[in-house]
Amino acid sequence: APVRVLSERFPDMHIIHFDAHTDLREDYLGAKLSHACVIRRCHDMLGDGRIHQFCIRSGEREEFAFAKEHTDLHPFDFEGLEQVVQQLKENNTPVYFTIDLDCLDPSVFPGTGTPEAGGVSFLELLKAIRTVSQANLVGADVNELAPMLDASGVSTATACKVLRELLLAIAK
């Protein structure tokens, strides 16, 4: 709902998406409104070239084929993020920023429902958040904490720190 409302207010809005997964499925188990389809639904609203995906390291073949044609996908890490943000900043483009915390390596953030090995470190994520905060952010969200999957509490503490750092970066 936030992306729909903001895209109506800001018709030229782009999305910066940090995630381990493409989330570009047309449907998941018959449902078009699913965690595995959310970025595809965003594409339905925004169109080509306005979704910039980083840290992606999991998805179905069809999702990667779709991304190649319709999104700006940067696998595994934040390579290219500074250039994307600079271009969006120069044009004062409205940006919605969505962080799925499973972009972090599960050794740092095990408390997620679909962990994927090979993610970024906390400090890499923090630097990337500070980079994105330089853009014209009109909205943001943080997703994928599943506290019951990490009895140590480390994932909850990490999620809280990410949210705190995101708010501080935006408030600058």
Side-chain angles (χ1 to χ4, degrees):
V3 170
R4 183 181 325 279
V5 170
L6 288 168
S7 69
E8 290 169 3
R9 183 168 180 195
F10 303 103
D12 58 338
M13 185 176 79
H14 283 231
I15 292 175
I16 294 179
H17 173 225
F18 294 175
D19 197 337
H21 307 92
T22 58
D23 291 351
L24 289 170
R25 294 184 190 191
E26 179 59 37
D27 68 81
Y28 181 66
L29 302 175
K32 287 186 172 276
L33 298 177
S34 162
H35 70 284
C37 310
V38 68
I39 299 301
R40 182 68 169 259
R41 298 293 75 83
C42 291
H43 175 269
D44 292 347
M45 287 181 261
L46 301 179
D48 287 353
R50 292 176 44 195
I51 297 173
H52 311 276
Q53 299 180 277
F54 293 87
C55 301
I56 307 298
R57 53 196 188 277
S58 180
E60 292 185 336
R61 181 177 309 199
E62 294 81 14
E63 292 177 277
F64 284 108
F66 183 89
K68 187 174 183 177
E69 296 294 320
H70 303 286
T71 75
D72 174 33
L73 189 139
H74 302 258
F76 305 112
D77 56 26
F78 298 114
E79 188 172 333
L81 180 63
E82 289 183 21
Q83 293 85 349
V84 167
V85 169
Q86 187 61 36
Q87 183 179 12
L88 294 170
K89 185 178 165 184
E90 285 173 10
N91 297 322
N92 199 34
T93 305
V95 173
Y96 188 88
F97 182 24
T98 180
I99 303 170
D100 277 26
L101 292 167
D102 60 12
C103 69
L104 290 162
D105 191 80
S107 64
V108 175
F109 191 83
T112 186
T114 49
E116 293 289 340
V120 298
S121 73
F122 175 79
L123 292 177
E124 289 169 322
L125 177 57
L126 181 58
K127 180 180 178 193
I129 288 170
R130 290 176 177 158
T131 298
V132 174
S133 73
Q134 297 170 30
N136 177 20
L137 293 184
V138 296
D141 62 50
V142 177
N143 302 283
E144 293 295 329
L145 171 65
M148 64 287 206
L149 298 178
D150 180 8
S152 74
V154 168
S155 297
T156 300
T158 301
C160 290
K161 185 77 168 183
V162 167
L163 183 57
R164 175 184 179 269
E165 294 300 322
L166 174 61
L167 292 172
L168 287 172
I170 292 171
K172 60 176 173 38

